[in-house]
Amino acid sequence: MRAICFIQETKEADLTMRQQQLVCRRALRKLLWRCEAELFAQAGTEQASLALRPGMTELLKMAALGRVDVLVVVDAGHLYCSRAELDCLLTTLLQYGVHTFGARDGSWIEPGGRRWMTLPGYDGEAFE
């Protein structure tokens, strides 16, 4: 699997950008997925629409070109967006065959908030 990680900094976050990066990298190592890119959005950008945040244009271009298979995020909550925005992003990515993986709980995230295919043996430890 070719993955791209999205890290979102916020002013009142429970995890720093570095901690989020460690969560995602740990998941990639466990799953033996190759990281194609890491995209970062700085504090303050969470107020903007998800589609307008730094890195999202690059993510969608890479998805359209077939360069990634998976978007890795800490979990859906760490995208700091409405359910409608999340569903729009997930649906758009699925059109390109890109699934979204929540590294913290080890499950795939689908539109509508459904989670499926929790990976067996995947522990939910945030980072080592």
Side-chain angles (χ1 to χ4, degrees):
M1 293 280 224
R2 297 164 300 163
I4 194 166
C5 297
F6 182 72
I7 310 299
Q8 171 86 19
E9 179 183 28
T10 62
K11 294 176 182 173
E12 298 177 16
D14 59 334
L15 297 175
T16 65
M17 289 180 80
R18 180 69 179 143
Q19 289 170 323
Q20 292 177 58
Q21 193 176 28
L22 290 172
V23 169
C24 292
R25 285 181 179 175
R26 182 171 188 266
L28 292 171
R29 277 194 319 271
K30 278 184 113 167
L31 298 167
L32 303 176
W33 293 348
R34 186 175 76 232
C35 184
E36 294 292 324
E38 290 180 335
L39 305 175
F40 298 90
Q42 298 79 21
T45 58
E46 70 274 11
Q47 301 304 321
S49 168
L50 188 58
L52 299 176
R53 294 182 195 165
M56 282 297 154
T57 302
E58 184 179 348
L59 167 64
L60 293 174
K61 283 180 185 176
M62 290 179 77
L65 294 172
R67 293 180 51 204
V68 294
D69 303 304
V70 178
L71 169 64
V72 177
V73 296
V74 172
D75 55 34
H78 280 85
L79 289 174
Y80 299 98
C81 63
S82 68
R83 173 53 61 188
E85 281 186 298
L86 177 62
D87 285 348
C88 182
L89 173 66
L90 297 175
T91 301
T92 301
L93 291 174
L94 283 172
Q95 289 176 351
Y96 297 121
V98 177
H99 294 275
T100 304
F101 185 76
R104 184 178 261 179
D105 60 5
S107 66
W108 298 96
I109 304 168
E110 286 189 327
R114 296 180 307 267
R115 297 179 188 278
W116 56 280
M117 200 176 111
T118 300
L119 300 177
Y122 188 95
D123 62 19
E125 294 177 26
F127 42 89
E128 295 179 325

